[in-house]
């Protein structure tokens, strides 16, 4: 019997006795899903078509009548998260996990050796995701912050460095290993976690992540690549910047995506499908 079969059998036996499985926190480069220390049954699982608001800049507008808010984890307090919860919202903690940002309070904790080329945004540079021994404690501390502020989930950004010019010879297996590590760290803290972009690796990672976040799949005719998430009954939170809603909403509804039109600065403004 292979490892997956053994795990499946053990899980079934535990389920029949009323227990839940807990990962031993083993190798994050394994083939199976990064379930981590918290039971999947206890984590928030957003479903396809769930409406949302994504705001990463400007004064937070909490008046948008949607069940999910995705906001910057550093910029917002425990009190803000609690207020959104009182209004019946789930709250996602945005973090950049694949790129260094020079304005973050922990920016000085990153050794120069792991900081690479710019990623096209002011003050941001790609990270050497192969340096897991360096990055794991830094990312664990950030996820501790999200948990301690009461967030329900995390959106780790810049998850496809291997497809970009980073200054490091990153390969697909490096990205898979790092992304699974982040999923495990989030799950160990009871947080749901979304796969940001990284379309080519969705088939390998859909079981590790609880939802997806995508930018511009309609513009580049890639939205069908996200169907493994919706087929698994997991939400896909999707944004377009340059297309009018009339150009993508019909297809988004057909595919079960949670689609918005936003401006690049990701302020409060939104147009929903």
């Amino acid at each position: 019997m292979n490892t997956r079969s053994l795990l499946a059998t053990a899980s079934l036996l535990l389920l029949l006795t009323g227990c839940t499985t807990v990962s031993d926190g083993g190798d994050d480069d394994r083939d199976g899903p990064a379930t981590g220390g918290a039971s999947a049954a206890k984590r928030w699982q957003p479903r396809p078509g769930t409406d949302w608001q994504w705001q990463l800049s400007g004064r937070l507008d909490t008046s948008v009548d949607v069940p999910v808010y995705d906001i910057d984890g550093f910029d917002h307090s425990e009190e803000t998260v609690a207020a959104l919860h009182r209004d019946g919202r789930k709250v996602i903690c945005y973090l950049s996990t694949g790129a260094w940002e020079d304005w973050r309070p922990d920016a000085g904790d990153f050794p120069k050796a792991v900081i690479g080329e710019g990623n096209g945004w002011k003050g941001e540079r790609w990270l050497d995701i192969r340096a897991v021994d360096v990055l794991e404690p830094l990312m664990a501390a950030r996820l501790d912050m999200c948990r301690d502020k009461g967030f329900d989930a995390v959106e780790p950004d810049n998850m496809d460095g291997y497809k970009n010019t980073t200054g490091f010879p990153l390969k697909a297996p490096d990205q898979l290993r790092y992304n699974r590590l982040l999923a495990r760290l989030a799950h160990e803290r009871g947080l749901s976690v979304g796969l940001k972009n990284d379309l080519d690796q969705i088939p390998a990672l859909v079981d590790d992540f609880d939802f997806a976040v995508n930018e511009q799949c309609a513009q580049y005719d890639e939205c069908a690549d996200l169907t493994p998430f919706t087929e698994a009954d997991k939400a896909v939170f999707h944004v377009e910047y340059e297309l009018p809603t009339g150009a993508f909403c019909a297809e988004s509804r057909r595919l079960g995506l949670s689609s918005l039109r936003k401006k690049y600065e990701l302020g409060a403004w939104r147009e929903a499908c």
Side-chain angles (χ1 to χ4, degrees), residues 1-271:
M1 183 179 291
N2 61 31
T3 302
R4 289 185 178 183
S5 298
L6 287 169
L7 289 171
T9 301
S11 297
L12 178 59
L13 289 172
L14 287 168
L15 180 62
L16 290 172
T17 58
C19 297
T20 56
T21 59
V22 178
S23 168
D24 62 4
D27 182 11
D28 53 84
D29 198 25
R30 64 195 180 280
D31 291 333
T35 54
S39 168
K42 296 179 181 178
R43 292 194 303 270
W44 172 55
Q45 177 58 72
R47 303 302 180 190
T50 302
D51 202 3
W52 70 308
Q53 166 66 324
W54 195 19
Q55 184 178 348
L56 301 183
S57 68
R59 183 181 178 87
L60 184 64
D61 178 2
T62 61
S63 68
V64 182
D65 187 15
V66 294
V68 177
Y69 265 69
D70 188 339
I71 61 177
D72 190 284
F74 281 103
D75 289 350
H76 296 288
S77 66
E78 178 181 357
E79 290 73 24
T80 297
V81 176
L84 287 166
H85 282 158
R86 286 195 297 272
D87 288 339
R89 279 71 175 269
K90 296 292 186 180
V91 194
I92 300 172
C93 182
Y94 170 88
L95 295 174
S96 183
T97 52
W100 176 80
E101 300 162 309
D102 64 7
W103 68 91
R104 296 302 189 187
D106 62 353
D109 296 336
F110 289 77
K112 291 182 179 179
V114 304
I115 301 172
E117 300 291 335
N119 69 353
W121 295 93
K122 184 179 179 181
E124 298 188 28
R125 295 165 66 181
W126 290 105
L127 289 169
D128 186 355
I129 60 170
R130 300 170 302 166
V132 172
D133 57 333
V134 174
L135 295 180
E136 179 172 355
L138 294 169
M139 296 305 159
R142 289 182 167 194
L143 289 165
D144 285 345
M145 174 190 70
C146 294
R147 177 201 60 203
D148 294 346
K149 288 183 177 181
F151 282 94
D152 303 285
V154 60
E155 178 208 337
D157 198 9
N158 296 299
M159 299 279 276
D160 54 2
Y162 83 105
K163 299 279 285 185
N164 292 274
T165 303
T166 63
F168 306 109
L170 304 182
K171 305 297 183 185
D174 301 319
Q175 195 71 61
L176 284 173
R177 182 182 183 218
Y178 188 64
N179 290 1
R180 285 185 173 130
L181 167 65
L182 292 168
R184 175 172 64 81
L185 292 174
H187 288 163
E188 286 174 351
R189 288 154 178 78
L191 297 166
S192 299
V193 60
L195 180 64
K196 180 71 171 287
N197 297 323
D198 196 16
L199 292 170
D200 290 347
Q201 295 188 329
I202 285 176
L205 291 173
V206 63
D207 289 340
D208 296 270
F209 288 82
D210 305 290
F211 57 94
V213 180
N214 176 266
E215 296 169 291
Q216 297 174 282
C217 69
Q219 181 171 341
Y220 297 106
D221 196 24
E222 298 170 332
C223 292
D225 293 345
L226 291 148
T227 54
F229 274 96
T230 55
E231 288 174 351
D233 202 25
K234 298 177 179 181
V236 174
F237 298 117
H238 161 235
V239 159
E240 293 292 329
Y241 302 112
E242 299 181 11
L243 297 179
T245 53
F248 64 88
C249 281
E251 180 72 354
S252 290
R253 286 190 287 268
R254 186 184 71 80
L255 293 172
L257 310 185
S258 302
S259 297
L260 304 175
R261 185 183 179 196
K262 297 285 291 185
K263 298 176 182 177
Y264 279 109
E265 63 268 24
L266 291 172
W269 184 87
R270 71 195 284 275
E271 281 185 339

